[in-house]
Amino acid sequence: MIVILTALDVEQNAVLEHLVDLEVHEHDKGTLFDIGTIAGHPGHRVAVGITGAGTTTAAALTERARAEFSPTAMMFVGVAGGLRQKLAIGDVVVATKVYSYQGGRSEDDRFLVRPRSWELSHRVDQVAHRLCRGHRWREFLPDCAGATPPDVHFGAIAVGDVLLDSTRSDLAQRLHTFYNDAVAVEMEGSGFAHAAALGDQVPAVVIRGISDHADGQKTSSDRAGGQVRAVANAAAFAIALAVSLEPESCSASDNPGSSGPTLPTITSKLVARDNAHVGEQVGVQFNWGQP
């Protein structure tokens, strides 16, 4: 199973559009996940959850989903602000590196950055790049994707609990100076990446659609449909990537009727002195330490 997390309802709905046979799975602490099968691909099941905005809840619910489902891979899917003019509204960014940009040391006259970062799983990176050959992933785009097909970019993203909508603010200047390779900015990816890295190195990827250019025009861009287009494209690429990864194998938990190897049952009689029968001993023979 693959887990896909989102921050917003509109992002979650875009992912669910690709799934069939949906059912609700409730975690014992109340978190609700939608579990379904990718349409046309019965071997690929996906659990979808929503975290809300911010790195803290993203981290907490990433760990909750990882522990609940033991997924083969995890994805965080949603929108981001573009930091490069070459990124068009609706383009998709696959994060090769996720920066947590808010760490640092504040002194009287300067701020010394102390970032953390997490890199994309090599396996997922390889599969994602192959998806872009011949634009095969576009087969998953909805009919309303628009006349101009989106492109996919691979690059670093900067993440913090701040909604950036300016090219001249102190934060914008800091990102430009100290995180100059970042091509997009968003608010959940570092919490997700950190939790995934702590979870036995489960393969994880952040996929974002560019909904605006973090330039003071976010509201206008959203009203013009930029956010809807961005989430649809990001979800399409995420689903294409999920299909390209290995389908889940049928395990005992997926199929209650299946069972593991049959161990021999040993039945022996206990005989006391003078052949007095005292009962039977029934058990399973284990050969500890033997191949």
Side-chain angles (χ1 to χ4, degrees), residues 23 49 112 117 120 136 155-156 165-166 191 234:
E23 57 187 36
L112 303 175
S117 65
L120 175 62
R136 292 185 294 117
D165 194 21
S166 171

Side-chain angles (χ1 to χ4, degrees), residues 188-201:
E188 294 82 30
S190 62
F192 165 79
H194 194 177
L198 294 175
D200 293 330
Q201 300 297 319

Side-chain angles (χ1 to χ4, degrees), residues 213-276:
H213 285 109
D215 57 358
Q217 302 297 317
K218 176 174 174 52
T219 300
S220 298
S221 180
D222 288 350
R223 287 175 178 170
Q227 186 181 72
V228 173
R229 186 159 70 252
V231 297
N233 296 348
F237 189 87
I239 292 297
L241 181 58
V243 168
S244 297
L245 296 172
E246 290 293 330
E248 64 177 330
S249 59
C250 183
S251 65
S253 61
D254 296 326
N255 183 4
S258 65
S259 60
T262 302
L263 297 174
T265 299
I266 307 300
T267 303
S268 61
K269 294 183 178 181
L270 300 179
V271 180
R273 181 178 294 178
D274 299 326
N275 292 324

